[in-house]
Amino acid sequence: MSNHAVEIEILGKLTRVNCPPGQEESLRQAALDLDNRLKEMNERTKVSNTEKLLTIAALNVCYELQQIKSEKNNNQDQISKRIEQLSASLDEALNLPK
């Protein structure tokens, strides 16, 4: 399976991007999300320089990704601790004299 070009629009400019088969809709949704973020940022900050807008958007996306990764790691740590507690409780319950 080879990639094929998908046309997306960001800030009014059409761009063709290679995309794996079956991922076209995800790519289009990502492009729409990016376009909306850039337009919102442009209105909110009055920054009109495309390069600056893209830099800020990239930093925001990276920050969000870091937050999600951190939350995921925290959740995994909590689950691991809970499993250890449950395992200890189960061991204790199974070792009780009858």
Side-chain angles (χ1 to χ4, degrees):
M1 291 187 175
S2 63
N3 292 345
H4 63 281
V6 173
E7 197 167 82
I8 59 170
E9 183 177 348
I10 297 174
L11 292 178
K13 296 180 182 176
L14 292 177
T15 305
R16 293 181 67 80
V17 178
N18 284 333
C19 179
Q23 299 297 313
E24 298 87 356
E25 189 55 34
S26 292
L27 176 63
R28 287 186 185 101
Q29 286 298 318
L32 181 61
D33 181 35
L34 177 59
D35 190 52
N36 288 335
R37 286 171 184 251
L38 292 170
K39 288 176 182 175
E40 178 187 312
M41 235 184 303
N42 178 284
E43 291 172 10
R44 191 178 63 229
T45 65
K46 303 301 180 200
V47 172
S48 59
N49 179 300
T50 303
E51 188 175 318
K52 284 184 180 181
L53 283 173
L54 289 168
T55 300
I56 294 167
L59 285 170
N60 286 341
V61 169
C62 288
Y63 175 77
E64 290 172 15
L65 183 59
Q66 283 181 338
Q67 293 299 106
I68 290 168
K69 285 180 180 179
S70 176
E71 186 177 310
K72 178 184 172 195
N73 288 338
N74 187 34
N75 288 343
Q76 286 178 334
D77 289 346
Q78 288 178 354
I79 289 170
S80 293
K81 287 177 184 175
R82 185 67 180 138
I83 288 172
E84 287 174 18
Q85 290 171 344
L86 290 170
S87 180
S89 295
L90 187 58
D91 286 345
E92 186 179 315
L94 292 174
N95 289 327
L96 287 177
K98 296 181 182 179

